[in-house]
Amino acid sequence: MPNPATPLTDTTKVNVRTAPFPHLTVTDLFGSEDAEAVLGWLERFDGWTSKSEQHYKSDVHHFAADSLPEDLAAVLTQDKLSRVRDLMESSFKVRFRPDHFLLANRYVPGDGTAVHSDFNPDTSHKYFFTHRLIAYFNRSWEEADGGILGLFDSQESTSPAVQYPPLHNTAAGMAMSESSFHAVGALRGGLRYCLIFSFTTEDLQYQRSLR
């Protein structure tokens, strides 16, 4: 059983839920200065790759969490990355393999996703993962801007079971499986930035319920 995680800030709050599939939400993931520094880095970054697939459209950038750009690594120190990992392990009551990866993501108006699960039976895939934490960084956000994360009961569902707005310095974590159906609503205004931390359980097994 993982040990209790040390919060990244004194005001960090984690809420774990079981429906429609195991997931969590976090407020005040990082300190306010760190969150502002990460947002500034994302706004300055010019190495985005446009990704447009059947169920997904946004700008992305992959990098290994142990080789971040120097100015980003100065904010996301190894201690803070370890605390993010501990938060996920203790919340989902699992153990992760030491290797993980980080994805930077930017949505512009018109971007979004269809309902999908991220399930992948190929455990040897370069980007195989079983759990994800999506950390949001935005200068401002209003409901009219869209880009809301929705979790669904099934791929055929026409409305989400729960929704989470991409508020600055909040996060949403998910235990992936065949039934982890989720989608990002189309962005209608502004820009939507996030960092996505991807982890894999020690036994390479998906988590379908909280233990």
Side-chain angles (χ1 to χ4, degrees), residues 134 136 147-151 160 162-166 172 174 182-185 192:
I134 307 170
Y136 298 110
I148 296 174
L149 174 66
L151 309 188
V162 293
Q163 296 185 88
Y164 299 111
M174 294 180 281
H182 60 285
V184 175
R192 178 185 181 275

Side-chain angles (χ1 to χ4, degrees), residues 48-118:
W48 299 105
T49 298
S50 180
K51 183 177 180 182
S52 182
E53 298 181 353
Q54 183 176 5
H55 67 270
Y56 185 100
K57 187 175 187 295
S58 76
D59 297 332
V60 301
H61 182 71
H62 285 272
F63 35 58
D66 60 354
S67 60
L68 298 178
E70 184 176 351
D71 49 350
L72 184 59
V75 181
L76 298 180
T77 63
Q78 286 302 310
D79 175 68
K80 291 168 187 170
L81 293 175
S82 294
R83 291 192 188 191
V84 170
R85 176 195 184 91
D86 292 346
L87 181 153
M88 290 286 285
E89 286 188 328
S90 63
S91 298
F92 287 112
K93 299 180 175 61
V94 295
R95 292 283 191 187
F96 293 136
R97 296 165 65 91
D99 52 316
H100 63 284
F101 61 92
L102 191 59
L103 169 70
N105 190 288
R106 180 182 69 178
Y107 286 83
V108 301
D111 287 355
T113 78
V115 178
H116 63 291
S117 69
D118 280 325

